[in-house]
Amino acid sequence: QVQLVESGGGMVQAGGSLRLSCAASGRIFSINVMDWYRQAPGKERELVAAIDRRGTANYADSVKGRFTISRDNSKNTVYLQMNNLKPEDTVVYYCHAQVSNSALGRFYDYWGQGTQVTVSS
């Protein structure tokens, strides 16, 4: 079993910054992609940023230039540095990872419990 534990959410004023962290633990042999999604009430979950094991990152257009995703493979942890936050960034953020727990190479999807980010105007 694999657990993803998120931290770092909270409340901030517009223009401020927050840093989210997500640590994976449990039966982990290898982690492929790690990413952050967000979901507003009544809307579909959307991809915010993704990073592969080599460090190649991709971002949603809405956060390019403001958010930076990074990871520490030695700690099985992914981070999301969020700068210049806007009220429309107010949603629940979820960590996701593709994890293999054996050398056979099959990867499974795991999700964190979600962390609330609130940006006041």
Side-chain angles (χ1 to χ4, degrees), residues 64-83:
K64 282 182 181 177
R66 300 189 298 123
F67 291 10
T68 302
I69 189 171
S70 60
R71 65 189 280 176
D72 185 336
N73 292 330
S74 67
K75 296 180 180 179
N76 293 328
T77 299
V78 63
Y79 307 95
L80 186 68
Q81 177 66 43
M82 305 185 293
N83 297 329

Side-chain angles (χ1 to χ4, degrees), residues 43-95:
K43 295 188 177 181
E44 292 187 357
R45 193 170 292 188
E46 64 169 351
L47 179 65
V48 176
I51 186 168
D52 66 16
R53 187 170 181 80
R54 296 173 298 177
T56 301
N58 290 287
Y59 299 91
D61 288 342
S62 59
V63 306
K64 282 182 181 177
R66 300 189 298 123
F67 291 10
T68 302
I69 189 171
S70 60
R71 65 189 280 176
D72 185 336
N73 292 330
S74 67
K75 296 180 180 179
N76 293 328
T77 299
V78 63
Y79 307 95
L80 186 68
Q81 177 66 43
M82 305 185 293
N83 297 329
N84 191 22
L85 282 160
K86 303 176 181 180
E88 52 262 44
D89 296 318
T90 297
V91 285
V92 178
Y93 287 74
Y94 295 90
C95 173

Side-chain angles (χ1 to χ4, degrees), residues 28-49:
I28 298 172
F29 179 80
S30 178
I31 301 178
N32 189 12
V33 174
M34 301 186 82
D35 37 34
W36 292 93
Y37 284 74
R38 63 187 183 184
Q39 186 171 25
K43 295 188 177 181
E44 292 187 357
R45 193 170 292 188
E46 64 169 351
L47 179 65
V48 176

Side-chain angles (χ1 to χ4, degrees), residues 106-117:
R106 182 173 179 178
F107 288 85
Y108 295 88
D109 292 311
Y110 293 92
W111 292 89
Q113 78 283 1
T115 185
Q116 176 71 44
V117 170

